[in-house]
Amino acid sequence: MPVTGSPPSNTDPGHATLSTRAFPRRVRTLLEGIFEIVTGELDRGLIGTLDGLEQQLFKLAEQARSNEMQLRCLEALGTVKRGRFDLMPRYIASLETSLAVVRDVHKSSEKSADSISFNDMALVAETDMDETTLLHEISSKAEMKASLPLFLLAQRFGVIAGRPALDSESLPVGPATLCRHLRRASHCFELHPEHRQLLFRQFDRHVMNEYVHLVEAVNAYLVNQGVLPNLAYIPARFKHAPRSDDARPETPQARPQPSHGPKAKPSVNRLTSPAHVAAESGATPRLIAFTGWPGDSIGAAAAAPQRRADDEIYTNLRELLRSARPPAPVAAHGQAQASRATVTATDVQSVLGLLQRRPQVTVMVNGQLRPPSINHVKQDLLAQLRQITGNDVSP
């Protein structure tokens, strides 16, 4: 039966156990607790991996188009059934070794590229390259899904190891390490390269797909044990400080009203901002600090003043547009009512065409820039109609 190329060389020391290492009492307790949590999670995942592999091999045997392919699948199925009880002990032994040498990993990784000689180089079989690529994709996907809890776990493992935070490659329970353990332990099966890749994909489905829960469980255990219990990483963002009056650019001014028209309602001659609102109300402007990922909303308490400021801005804009409208001649009540109905369909179509030709702008809603809503478009339409007709157009 064809098998894969030679197993990758193992540069790690011989099988080491937590009981044989001279750890401080607290470090030993922490590593034993982590080992118990991880093995409990992996036990269920590896059983599901082997069950899924057997189902896939049986399905491939049924769908085989030749007797040779069917025989190969059935032989692989028998190999998995006979050796499935050997995979778990091998995998758990590799995992325990990686935890037992957590304080010695940096010694084996200090070998620089300059110290590599020609004798250290060797040809790599194509099947080994395919397996390496597949396992790298699996570990990278799991690392991206659990990036934040994995970052916190690396910091806490650095405390246990007595050195800076570990990277994902050297983390004893990192996704790359778990994939290397599977590759090493799966050599107990004499499987065809195609069937080995099926094993790795089932491992991705049953183990690495739930990897984020495993990392969170280990983090929770270390927090309960007092290992960096207050550690948190949430990017903080701060709103820009309000600019002073001397640095504030000139704001749009309202056009003077004709002296012969009726006296219009006094209006604010500049756009109102949250800083202006705070200054006019006597409150001291301050920075609103909040934490969260980019794109998240500020929160109800911090967004309420912003909504009130936005409402006042639109109110002042409407007052400015109303004050800029030419005064209507004094007329009887019936004539005034008639003047409100002078907007024609042609005027509406021309204004809509003008609004469509404008570049799309964004408005501030709840502290975020969003496309204008239908109410904003309606207000713009009414303002343009008032300028064209000179009448008090109502919605």
Side-chain angles (χ1 to χ4, degrees):
M1 178 183 300
V3 297
T4 61
S6 60
S9 60
N10 185 6
T11 58
D12 294 339
H15 176 58
T17 61
L18 295 175
S19 60
T20 59
R21 303 289 294 187
F23 287 130
R25 180 180 301 177
R26 176 163 171 76
V27 174
R28 184 186 303 278
T29 302
L30 293 174
L31 292 177
E32 289 176 351
I34 294 173
F35 180 67
E36 183 179 356
I37 293 174
V38 176
T39 52
E41 294 289 336
L42 292 178
D43 187 22
R44 295 187 294 270
L46 289 177
I47 291 176
T49 299
L50 295 178
D51 291 341
L53 177 61
E54 291 179 0
Q55 293 176 4
Q56 284 291 107
L57 291 174
F58 185 77
K59 184 177 180 181
L60 290 175
E62 286 185 337
Q63 299 175 353
R65 297 183 179 180
S66 64
N67 294 334
E68 181 181 358
M69 293 179 59
Q70 186 178 33
L71 180 60
R72 183 184 302 173
C73 292
L74 292 177
E75 289 179 351
L77 180 60
T79 301
V80 173
K81 287 183 177 295
R82 290 190 302 268
R84 63 179 299 158
F85 297 104
D86 295 334
L87 179 68
M88 178 65 73
R90 290 170 177 263
Y91 194 95
I92 297 303
S94 298
L95 177 63
E96 186 177 9
T97 300
S98 63
L99 288 172
V101 299
V102 65
R103 292 196 166 192
D104 305 332
V105 174
H106 65 288
K107 295 181 181 179
S108 61
S109 61
E110 288 177 352
K111 190 175 182 180
S112 61
D114 298 335
S115 62
I116 299 177
S117 63
F118 179 79
N119 294 329
D120 296 330
M121 300 182 182
L123 295 177
V124 180
E126 184 178 354
T127 55
D128 291 340
M129 288 295 298
D130 294 339
E131 290 182 5
T132 302
T133 302
L134 178 58
L135 291 175
H136 179 71
E137 293 177 357
I138 294 173
S139 60
S140 299
K141 183 173 63 174
E143 185 177 349
M144 288 190 338
K145 288 182 179 179
S147 58
L148 181 56
L150 195 61
F151 171 78
L152 302 179
L153 183 61
Q155 300 290 331
R156 295 189 170 101
F157 257 100
V159 175
I160 297 175
R163 56 196 181 94
L166 306 182
D167 55 17
S168 60
E169 291 292 331
S170 58
L171 194 64
V173 294
T177 306
L178 297 183
C179 289
R180 288 197 298 267
H181 293 339
L182 176 66
R183 185 177 188 179
R184 186 177 299 112
S186 63
H187 283 286
C188 65
F189 301 138
E190 293 184 354
L191 295 177
H192 189 270
E194 179 184 357
H195 299 153
R196 283 178 60 83
Q197 292 187 12
L198 286 178
L199 172 64
F200 297 153
R201 295 189 184 279
Q202 290 298 322
F203 181 78
D204 180 28
R205 177 181 179 184
H206 294 277
V207 177
M208 303 308 291
N209 196 33
E210 303 294 332
Y211 177 73
V212 63
H213 303 296
L214 184 147
V215 178
E216 290 175 350
V218 177
N219 270 321
Y221 168 75
L222 293 177
V223 169
N224 293 333
Q225 295 296 321
V227 181
L228 300 180
N230 299 322
L231 179 64
Y233 178 74
I234 301 179
R237 297 184 302 164
F238 295 90
K239 298 186 69 175
H240 295 291
R243 293 176 295 182
S244 57
D245 292 336
D246 54 352
R248 186 182 299 112
E250 295 183 359
T251 53
Q253 302 289 331
R255 289 189 297 178
Q257 298 182 5
S259 57
H260 59 275
K263 185 176 181 180
K265 182 179 179 180
S267 59
V268 181
N269 62 350
R270 67 174 182 270
L271 298 179
T272 305
S273 65
H276 297 155
V277 175
E280 293 176 0
S281 61
T284 302
R286 61 184 180 86
L287 292 175
I288 302 177
F290 63 96
T291 59
W293 294 105
D296 289 349
S297 59
I298 302 175
Q306 183 66 33
R307 287 196 297 270
R308 291 195 296 268
D310 292 341
D311 294 341
E312 188 165 351
I313 288 175
Y314 288 116
T315 302
N316 292 333
L317 283 174
R318 286 195 293 270
E319 294 295 337
L320 288 172
L321 292 173
R322 186 176 291 115
S323 63
R325 177 173 48 85
V330 180
H333 178 71
Q335 295 178 353
Q337 293 292 336
S339 65
R340 296 172 64 91
T342 57
V343 178
T344 62
T346 304
D347 296 335
V348 175
Q349 293 296 332
S350 62
V351 172
L352 288 176
L354 177 62
L355 294 178
Q356 289 179 351
R357 289 190 298 271
R358 286 183 178 179
Q360 186 176 3
V361 297
T362 56
V363 296
M364 186 70 70
V365 179
N366 295 337
Q368 296 181 351
L369 292 176
R370 296 181 179 177
S373 63
I374 187 63
N375 292 329
H376 298 151
V377 177
K378 182 179 179 181
Q379 294 296 335
D380 291 342
L381 176 63
L382 294 177
Q384 293 293 333
L385 289 176
R386 292 191 187 102
Q387 292 184 2
I388 292 176
T389 61
N391 296 324
D392 189 9
V393 180
S394 60

